Amino acid sequence: MTKSNKLFTILIPIISVLLGLIAGAIIMLISGYNPILGYTALWNGAFGDAFTMGETVRRITPLLLTGLAVAFAFRTGLFNIGAEGQVIVGWLAAVWVGLAIDAPMIIHLPLAILASLAAGALWGFIPGLLKAKLGVHEVIVTIMMNYIALYSVNEIIRNVLTEQETTTDAISPSASLASEWLQGLTYFSRMHYGILIALFAAVTMWFIIQRTTIGYELKAVGFNQHASKYAGMNVSKNIILSMVISGAFAGLAGAMEGLGTYGTISIMSGFTNLGFDGIAVALLGANNAFGVILAAILFGVLKEGAGQMPTGAGVPTELVDIIIALIIFFVASSYIIRWILLRFKKEGK
Amino acid sequence: MEYVIEMLNIRKEFPGIVANDDITVQLKKGEIHALLGENGAGKSTLMNVLFGLYQPEKGEIRVKGKKVSITNPNIANDLGIGMVHQHFMLVEPFTVTQNIILGNEPTKKGKIDIKKAEKEVQEISDKYGLKVDASAKISDISVGMQQRVEILKTLYRGADVLIFDEPTAVLTPQEIHELIEIMQSLIAEGKSIILITHKLKEIMQVCDRCTVIRKGKGIGTVDVADTSVSKLASLMVGRDVVFKTEKKPAEPKETVFKIENLVVKDSRKVSMVKGLDLEIRAGEIVGIAGVDGNGQSELVEAITGLRKSESGSITLKNKNIKNLSPRKVTESGIGHIPQDRHKYGLVLDYPVGANIVLQTYYKKPYSKASILDYKEIYKKAKEIIEEYDVRTPSEFTKARALSGGNQQKAIIGRELDRSPELLIAAQPTRGLDVGAIEFIHKRLIEERDKGRAVLLVSFELDEILDVSDRIAVMFDGKIVSTMKPEETNEHELGLLMAGSKASGAGESHDKE
C-alpha cells in the first residue's frame, strides 16, 4: 500500500503536467497554431542556450521562495495569500538598505537580506496576530495587506526614495547578489547568487518542519488545534510564528528581485504575481520543501519558455497564459487523476 | 416459517479485508433480534448491506420470503426497513414535525402542509406511546426524546422492520427503561426489531434471539432464553471473559487533590459547574456518575487547564493548579485521558510514535536544543506499544489507522508512563469492546494500587459501580451525593443523576 502510495504521489503531478500539455496542444490546434512549433519555442525559450538557461534559473529563484512561504503556512493549516504583499515589502526593504547604507559587502549584503526577511515577517505577523487573538480569517487580512503593501511601497518609491521618479537608483554593489562570474557563464543573463539562498531556504524549511520541536508544534496545530491545546502547546503563538516565518520566506523572495535581478525597485502598476504563483507552486509541490523545488523549476521553465512562444511560433501571449493555466488546473484537479488511476488499477487486477 | 427479513450467507469484501463472511440472519415477525459483536466485527457493514448502502459479493436478501435486490436506501425504505441511527440525523433548529417530513414533505398548492403533517405525527406518537410533542424544537428536547423522534421518523415512513444501532449508548437508566417499553409496544403492534449492540445485559433483558458475529464471521444464532451473559460474551470474543473487575479493597491515604467551591462557565457564559466540592485521596478511584451535560466536561476541562475557572480553588498536593496553562497542569503531575480521543487525545495524522511524546517532545531525551531526537522518540513509542499491547503495524503508522481500542491504549500508555499523581479518565471505555474495556479497567486499578489518585468520569453506571472505590453523583453542576459502590445500586444512582433528592444512605456520606 505505502509503496504504491509513494509511486502515486510522484505519478500524479507528472500525469497532470502531461495532460496540461496535451490540452494546451489541442487549444493551439483549434486556434490554428502548430503545437509542435509552439512547444519547441517553449523548450528553446527555457533551455535554448546559456543565456536562456541563466534567465530560467533567475525566474525560478523567487518562485521557489514564495512557494516555500505558502507551503510553510499550509503546514500549520493557514492559507497565506499575502505572499504577494510580503514580496513587495521585502523587495522595498532590501533596496532601501542597499541604497541607504555604506558598508563592506560582508555587512551590507546580509543586512539588506535581513531587512527583507524582517519586512516580510512583519507583513505576516499582522494577519497572524489578528487570526490568533481575534479569530479574523487570515485570507481576508492577507488579501488586504497585499493592497496596503502595493500602494504604500509605490508611495515610498515616489516620494521618499526618489523625487517623483518611477525607479530608484541602483543599489550599491556591496549589497548586490549579482555575479559577474555567473553572468559570464550564461552570456550576460541576469542570473545571480540568489538561487543558492533559495535552495538553502528550502533545506531550512525542511529542517524546521521535520527536525525541530517548532515544526512538531506547528504541524500539530495545523492537524488538530484541540489536541495541541490539550498537549500544552500555545496555539496562538504557533499561528503567529507560522505566519511570521512564512512572511519571512516571501520577503526573501523580494530581496531576490531587489538585490539580484533588478538592483532597483520601480513603481508597480499591479502585483508582481510572484506571491500568487507561489500558491500554485506550493500546491504542485504538495507543501513539501523538495516538492516545492521541483514545482518552482517547472513554473520557472514554463514562464520563461513561454516568452519565446509569441516570437518563435506566433502563439499569442494570451494563449500561452491559457496553456499555463491549464497545467495548473490539471494539477489542482489531481483528485480526479488519482480516482482514474485507482479505477485502472482495480480493473487491471 | 414466517421470516420478515432473511439475509442468507452474506459476504462483503473491501480491498484487503473480508468484512462479512458467510453471515446469515433471519428475523421473525414480531421478535426483537439482537446482532451482537465487538467493534469492527462487521455489524454495521451487514446492516449497511441490508439498508442498500453496500452491495454484497455473495448471498441473498429476502423480504417476506421474496428475493430482493436492495441497491439504495430508498428501496430499503419502500420495503419497510427503517434505521434508528446511533448518531441522530436531526436538524436542531427545526421542529419535530419538520424533521420527520424532511425529504418527503406533504404539500398543498405548493406549500408545505405543516398542520396536516403535525396531526399525523402526533397520531403515530400517541399510538406507540412515544410521548413526543410534534411541535417542539429539537434543540429544546432531551437526548432520549430526540431518539424517539428518530423512531417516529421511521414509523412515519411506514417501516415494519426497525434497526436500532446502539440505542442505549446515550441514555440514562430510566430512559433505557422507557426505550425498552417502547420497543415492546412496537412489537405488540406487529413490528419487528433488529438491535445492534455489544451490551449483553440489554440482550438478556429484551431480545428473543441473538445472532453473534465475530471478526466478520457469523458464529450462530441462539435463543436468548437458553443462554447467559457469560456464554454470549465468550461467543462474541472467542474466549472466556472476566466480568467483575477483580480488585482488592482500596487503601486510601492522604488527600492529594481537592476542589473547593468551583465555578466554571461554558463557552456561552452559562455556569455549568456551580460551587462544586470534591476530594480525592491517594490510592483511591473516585467515580463521577451523572448524565451527560451536567457539568462533567467543564469540570474536567477546568482541572486540566483547558477552560478558565470563575472562582473557587483546585489544589494538587496543596499547590494551587487553578487556571494554570495545560502544560503547567501536566507538569504539576496530572494525566488526562480525554473524553473525545479523536478531538483531544491524538493528532490523528501524526504517527503513533509522535503521539506518544505529545506532551514531552520538548524535554530530554526526546529533543535537545529544540532538535528532535527521533531515535529516542520511537524507542519510547516501541516500549509503550509493547507494554500496553497497542496493536499497530509499527510505531510509524498514523494514529488514524488504528482501531478505537488501540488508539485508547496508546493514550493510556502515554498518560500512565508519566506516572501522574492524579489520573483523570473521562469516558475511558466509550465505544470500546469487552476485551479493551477489561484491559483499561485493570490498568486504572493498577494505578490506584500504586498509590495514585484516579478520577473516573463515566456515563456508564456499570463502569462506575465496578471500578470506583467511591462514587460522587454529579447533577446540575454539583456533587449531590457521595457513597460507596457497595452501599448503592443502579436504581438509586439513576434517580440521583436525574435530580431527585438524595436518599438517606447517600446523604450521610455527603459531607466527609
Side-chain angles (χ1 to χ4, degrees):
Chain A
M1 247 344 237
T2 47
K3 203 176 165 191
S4 71
N5 267 347
K6 238 177 211 161
L7 189 73
F8 263 43
T9 38
I10 301 167
L11 213 57
I12 286 165
I14 293 174
I15 294 177
S16 306
V17 170
L18 283 179
L19 281 176
L21 289 174
I22 291 166
I26 293 169
I27 292 208
M28 278 192 262
L29 272 177
I30 293 171
S31 323
Y33 302 101
N34 184 342
I36 297 170
L37 269 179
Y39 285 136
T40 314
L42 181 106
W43 178 263
N44 288 335
F47 305 110
D49 52 39
F51 173 80
T52 54
M53 276 160 96
E55 280 292 304
T56 302
V57 172
R58 189 267 319 152
R59 183 81 79 156
I60 290 166
T61 307
L63 285 174
L64 174 49
L65 285 163
T66 53
L68 291 175
V70 177
F72 195 90
F74 258 134
R75 296 301 284 268
T76 318
L78 297 166
F79 198 11
N80 179 13
I81 302 203
E84 185 63 43
Q86 292 146 11
V87 168
I88 295 173
V89 294
W91 188 339
L92 176 82
V95 171
W96 204 331
V97 171
L99 287 169
I101 295 173
D102 249 335
M105 192 168 204
I106 197 144
I107 298 168
H108 200 179
L109 180 58
L111 210 59
I113 289 172
L114 274 178
S116 73
L117 286 169
L122 174 71
W123 234 246
F125 172 77
I126 296 167
L129 184 74
L130 288 171
K131 165 94 176 181
K133 297 293 174 196
L134 299 172
V136 187
H137 203 287
E138 75 276 10
V139 167
I140 296 169
V141 181
T142 47
I143 289 174
M144 293 306 146
M145 294 294 286
N146 286 343
Y147 287 101
I148 298 172
L150 176 65
Y151 294 112
S152 321
V153 166
N154 278 351
E155 177 67 19
I156 290 171
I157 296 167
R158 198 189 302 273
N159 293 320
V160 182
L161 290 182
T162 70
E163 282 165 23
Q164 304 295 316
E165 305 276 333
T166 52
T167 302
T168 62
D169 296 333
I171 53 168
S172 106
S174 57
S176 175
L177 281 169
S179 146
E180 273 179 29
W181 176 68
L182 283 175
Q183 285 174 356
L185 218 61
T186 58
Y187 203 70
F188 301 105
S189 78
R190 289 171 292 173
M191 185 178 170
H192 53 83
Y193 285 127
I195 187 68
L196 300 177
I197 294 174
L199 287 172
F200 178 72
V203 176
T204 308
M205 163 167 165
W206 170 84
F207 188 79
I208 293 176
I209 290 279
Q210 299 297 342
R211 292 285 154 194
T212 67
T213 55
I214 301 165
Y216 180 90
E217 285 193 17
L218 289 172
K219 276 188 297 176
V221 169
F223 284 136
N224 184 345
Q225 290 198 5
H226 298 286
S228 308
K229 204 179 154 200
Y230 157 87
M233 298 170 193
N234 184 337
V235 172
S236 303
K237 186 194 92 183
N238 276 293
I239 287 174
I240 297 171
L241 185 65
S242 170
M243 284 303 286
V244 163
I245 295 176
S246 171
F249 277 127
L252 192 55
M256 298 300 107
E257 302 294 83
L259 305 180
T261 307
Y262 298 102
T264 59
I265 185 165
S266 306
I267 286 182
M268 299 169 213
S269 56
F271 288 122
T272 64
N273 278 334
L274 287 171
F276 297 131
D277 288 340
I279 298 170
V281 169
L283 190 69
L284 184 60
N287 299 318
N288 163 299
F290 296 104
V292 166
I293 296 179
L294 296 178
I297 290 172
L298 177 77
F299 255 72
V301 166
L302 284 175
K303 292 242 155 185
E304 189 60 36
Q308 271 299 309
M309 286 172 79
T311 46
V315 183
T317 34
E318 290 82 359
L319 206 53
V320 173
D321 285 340
I322 292 174
I323 293 162
I324 292 182
L326 274 173
I327 293 172
I328 300 167
F329 171 81
F330 276 100
V331 171
S333 53
S334 64
Y335 175 77
I336 302 168
I337 294 163
R338 180 179 288 266
W339 183 75
I340 294 169
L341 275 178
L342 280 171
R343 266 312 269 269
F344 269 116
K345 234 177 99 181
K346 228 179 175 179
E347 272 162 26
K349 263 185 190 167
Chain B
M1 279 304 267
E2 39 174 339
Y3 289 120
V4 268
I5 302 272
E6 289 172 89
M7 299 183 78
L8 302 172
N9 311 99
I10 300 293
R11 183 184 173 86
K12 175 71 201 161
E13 289 171 30
F14 292 112
I17 45 164
V18 182
N20 287 162
D21 185 7
D22 197 22
I23 300 181
T24 296
V25 181
Q26 291 170 307
L27 178 68
K28 284 183 195 164
K29 188 170 166 55
E31 75 165 344
I32 303 181
H33 192 117
L35 197 57
L36 174 68
E38 293 189 283
N39 287 304
K43 293 171 298 195
S44 303
T45 308
L46 187 68
M47 286 303 109
N48 285 335
V49 167
L50 181 59
F51 213 57
L53 291 167
Y54 296 141
Q55 301 310 310
E57 261 83 45
K58 248 190 231 159
E60 63 178 66
I61 300 174
R62 290 190 201 159
V63 175
K64 289 177 188 136
K66 255 195 289 180
K67 190 179 169 191
V68 292
S69 138
I70 305 176
T71 46
N72 69 55
N74 288 334
I75 296 178
N77 272 328
D78 294 342
L79 289 168
I81 301 168
M83 185 123 163
V84 179
H85 293 276
Q86 183 180 5
H87 302 284
F88 306 148
M89 317 255 175
L90 298 170
V91 185
E92 293 246 325
F94 276 16
T95 68
V96 169
T97 306
Q98 283 173 324
N99 267 286
I100 287 172
I101 60 173
L102 202 66
N104 55 353
E105 302 86 357
T107 53
K108 199 165 77 182
K109 292 181 198 154
K111 270 176 68 184
I112 295 179
D113 191 353
I114 197 81
K115 285 248 167 63
K116 185 177 156 230
E118 220 165 82
K119 216 179 120 213
E120 280 176 17
V121 168
Q122 199 64 58
E123 272 171 25
I124 302 173
S125 166
D126 295 344
K127 186 177 170 193
Y128 295 95
L130 293 175
K131 295 178 195 145
V132 172
D133 174 5
S135 57
K137 258 192 193 167
I138 296 296
S139 48
D140 295 339
I141 63 178
S142 71
V143 174
M145 274 297 168
Q146 292 182 10
Q147 186 174 54
R148 293 184 197 181
V149 176
E150 287 281 355
I151 299 172
L152 256 179
K153 209 197 281 180
T154 61
L155 293 173
Y156 180 82
R157 296 189 180 174
D160 288 320
V161 175
L162 283 86
I163 305 167
F164 283 85
D165 188 3
E166 305 267 358
T168 58
V170 289
L171 303 181
T172 63
Q174 275 74 18
E175 283 176 322
I176 291 175
H177 190 71
E178 285 168 18
L179 176 68
I180 289 172
E181 275 175 12
I182 290 168
M183 285 178 154
Q184 272 150 359
S185 84
L186 287 169
I187 296 297
E189 292 287 336
K191 311 283 182 196
S192 314
I193 293 174
I194 297 177
L195 176 66
I196 305 176
T197 187
H198 55 243
K199 290 188 188 164
L200 304 161
K201 260 172 47 189
E202 282 164 14
I203 295 178
M204 298 305 293
Q205 237 176 325
V206 295
C207 295
D208 301 303
R209 296 192 305 146
C210 173
T211 298
V212 184
I213 300 177
R214 191 199 309 151
K215 288 179 184 153
K217 286 199 172 69
I219 299 299
T221 303
V222 291
D223 279 325
V224 170
D226 305 337
T227 187
S228 67
V229 167
S230 56
K231 263 191 216 158
L232 282 178
S234 47
L235 276 178
M236 168 167 79
V237 190
R239 62 179 167 83
D240 287 338
V241 178
V242 188
F243 271 99
K244 196 75 190 160
T245 316
E246 284 181 35
K247 57 171 186 181
K248 303 180 295 198
E251 293 163 11
K253 295 182 200 72
E254 77 288 359
T255 300
V256 284
F257 180 70
K258 203 168 178 180
I259 298 179
E260 278 175 326
N261 206 15
L262 184 72
V263 177
V264 187
K265 288 184 175 171
D266 68 4
S267 26
R268 296 165 304 166
K269 301 281 169 217
V270 179
S271 288
M272 291 303 283
V273 178
K274 306 170 181 173
L276 178 138
D277 297 304
L278 185 70
E279 283 186 11
I280 307 177
R281 298 197 277 173
E284 75 168 344
I285 300 177
V286 173
I288 292 197
V291 182
D292 194 4
N294 276 287
Q296 296 96 320
S297 316
E298 286 77 13
L299 172 66
V300 169
E301 284 171 7
I303 299 172
T304 50
L306 290 167
R307 187 178 286 283
K308 280 250 162 346
S309 310
E310 298 293 319
S311 60
S313 76
I314 309 174
T315 53
L316 182 69
K317 291 209 143 179
N318 295 322
K319 265 192 249 151
N320 170 51
I321 58 162
K322 192 185 82 170
N323 290 345
L324 293 185
S325 70
R327 173 150 299 164
K328 287 268 155 56
V329 171
T330 308
E331 285 175 347
S332 71
I334 286 187
H336 176 199
I337 301 165
Q339 177 173 340
D340 189 333
R341 66 180 86 92
H342 287 173
K343 194 170 169 190
Y344 289 99
L346 295 165
V347 176
L348 290 173
D349 292 301
Y350 266 169
V352 178
N355 271 295
I356 293 292
V357 295
L358 204 57
Q359 296 109 324
T360 45
Y361 63 90
Y362 60 93
K363 285 186 181 161
K364 277 184 187 170
Y366 311 119
S367 65
K368 278 170 212 135
S370 285
I371 291 170
L372 294 166
D373 187 341
Y374 279 108
K375 233 173 154 184
E376 289 292 332
I377 290 173
Y378 286 114
K379 203 176 99 194
K380 183 84 216 167
K382 235 179 162 166
E383 268 173 46
I384 285 180
I385 286 168
E386 263 166 41
E387 196 186 331
Y388 291 85
D389 188 31
V390 182
R391 312 256 168 88
T392 168
S394 83
E395 57 271 33
F396 310 110
T397 310
K398 278 189 181 167
R400 188 181 290 288
L402 269 58
S403 74
N406 286 308
Q407 289 175 342
Q408 192 72 334
K409 283 184 198 167
I411 294 174
I412 288 172
R414 177 182 76 202
E415 298 305 309
L416 294 189
D417 188 66
R418 290 201 314 273
S419 149
E421 296 291 340
L422 171 70
L423 177 70
I424 300 170
Q427 295 269 64
T429 58
R430 173 150 81 175
L432 303 186
D433 55 54
V434 180
I437 292 174
E438 208 184 336
F439 178 90
I440 288 164
H441 286 170
K442 242 165 75 191
R443 288 291 179 167
L444 293 182
I445 290 163
E446 264 177 42
E447 206 57 17
R448 176 201 79 173
D449 291 344
K450 274 192 233 160
R452 306 289 178 207
V454 178
L455 177 66
L456 169 70
V457 179
S458 176
F459 306 142
E460 303 275 351
L461 280 185
D462 283 346
E463 178 165 57
I464 293 278
L465 283 164
D466 215 27
V467 181
S468 316
D469 301 313
R470 207 149 55 85
I471 299 174
V473 180
M474 190 163 178
F475 174 73
D476 195 26
K478 278 185 195 149
I479 302 296
V480 291
S481 183
T482 58
M483 64 200 67
K484 292 236 159 76
E486 53 274 17
E487 290 166 359
T488 185
N489 55 43
E490 250 179 60
H491 181 73
E492 189 194 20
L493 284 177
L495 288 173
L496 287 168
M497 281 158 61
S500 329
K501 283 277 166 281
S503 66
E507 199 78 300
S508 62
H509 289 274
D510 201 15
K511 294 186 181 81
E512 296 195 31

